[in-house]
Amino acid sequence: GGAGAIGLAWAIRRHRGRPGVDWFLGVFAAQTVWCLSYGIGLLVADPTLRAVLEASTWLGILWTGIAFLGFALEYTGRSDVVRSRLFAGVVGFGVLSTLILATNPLHGAFWTGFRVDPVFGVATVSYAFGPWAYLVVAVETVLVASAVFLLVDTLLSYGPLYRRESAAVAMSSLPPGFALVAWILELGPVPQLQLAPILFVPHVLLDAYAFNRAEMFDRHPTTSRAAERTAIDDLADPIVALSLDRRVVRLNPAAESLLGVGAEQARDRPFDAFLDVAIDVESGDADGGDNEITVGVGPRRRTFAVSTAALTDPEGTHVGYTVVFSDVTERERRRQQLEVLNRILRHNLRNDAGVVAGYGDLLVERLEDPELVRMADAIDRRAGALAALGEKAGTVETLLSDGDPTTVDVRELVSDVVDDARERAGEDAVTLAVEGTDAEWVASLRADALQAIVANAVENAVVHHDGQGTERADGGTWVRVTLRREDRGDAAEFVLVVDVDGRGIPDHEVRAVESGRETPLEHGSGLGLWVIEWAAGALGADVEYATREPRGTRVTARVPLINDEAGADD
């Protein structure tokens, strides 16, 4: 048994620094002292030397259990307990017992009446156990049982992941443990013979299996437990676990900052003593409208979105709640800033652009110099463009809000947008072709988003046409809008194609939208393409831009059909 412990200690020395290894080396050191002291003692008949070896055996017994518990705690990811006062008390008990063992001849706390009592031809001894001997064996039994419990708990908690390692090490402690208890209780026909060191042989074999075949220290439960703690403790969002009566059970460090109290002080106190967030006992939902609260965290006030969920055990029984606070302070601040900027932008653009346009019209009427008239007309057109930009900002605000789908006749909606464009650009400038007139055109979708795609694609073509088109003899504005429905089994989509003549959409503007950000080198000249992009997002649509031959651009939008009229009737 002693030689096997030395061999295993030598084998795992290369793993030093990994969770539990150093403590297991301590276990092997204590086992070696235990087994070798007892084994050599069986060959020594001198009473004085035999008493020294017996004391050394007790030293091994004492520290084997302490080291084994330290290993189990650290191996299963509970190294914080090893550094706690509780475990320090366990080590202190070991130190005190060592001192009492060393001074046993003075008080007889471990044994009295020591004598050599040979059996089977070896120098076994007999003595009356003192109270401290019984206490040591009792404490060691509790420590080893606790360690076995931790290993079995790991086996049950993590399933097959660490099953072989944990089972082998847990079982390895049972044979010598039972033998030690039988010896201290003087059970069996030869009570002076201690069989625990002999039963360390199967112990060593099971440990060897765990270390070598099962690769015990290459993967260990510390990883899983650390991941569990990290999932809560390291998150920036405050998380609180509540019992069914809404008392605090656990909270992470972020929640400690939010509640302004430590975990120990908060535990088992009513949650509403810290925050006024009502929890629906039946569903586990927060009862608070928009589920947002604003609280002071340190010197600043923060806004949190509150979400709750029922906490269940592995069998699905409702055992409590988890409350998660997502910090949305910056999001709310940006939302407020955008609302204010959008309101001011739209108001000022509409008013100021209207004033500029009015004076521009007056100048065009009253001026006689052709050059001044041209300049006044440019002022008028630019003012109109600024006013349109303000209206487009309002469209963006609507698109970015949460709108609900409505029943829409897609063909009619597209036709109305095209008719409006014809009024501004001329009948020959914009044409509409609807393919598949027998198809079903009524669908449930966001009408404002689809209208924004069609209107901005057509408007972009009309406003930015360079007068050098190839489709019309005079080179004038030419836009063709094509609408069709494509059915693909259970899925269907509307395909909207806008063909633009002239210079088309510059590549750098398309790249800016497709990349999702504008740079000083790649940016758009307005909001049109961005409105199309955001409207497509609201519809779940895909938009593609392609070069059209010989000149121009083709814009293709594929709008998925979510729910048509027939489906709604069903």
Side-chain angles (χ1 to χ4, degrees), residues 224-254:
S224 297
R225 287 189 60 83
E228 290 175 353
R229 286 198 300 270
T230 299
I232 296 179
D233 294 343
D234 289 355
L235 285 179
D237 288 340
I239 299 177
V240 182
L242 306 178
S243 59
L244 288 175
D245 59 357
R246 299 185 294 275
R247 288 181 176 270
V248 177
V249 175
R250 183 180 178 184
L251 64 163
N252 65 352

Side-chain angles (χ1 to χ4, degrees), residues 20 22 29 35 210 237 306 461 464-465 542 561 569:
D22 291 343
C35 293
D237 288 340
V306 185
H464 298 289
H465 196 276
D542 293 325
L561 179 57
D569 292 340

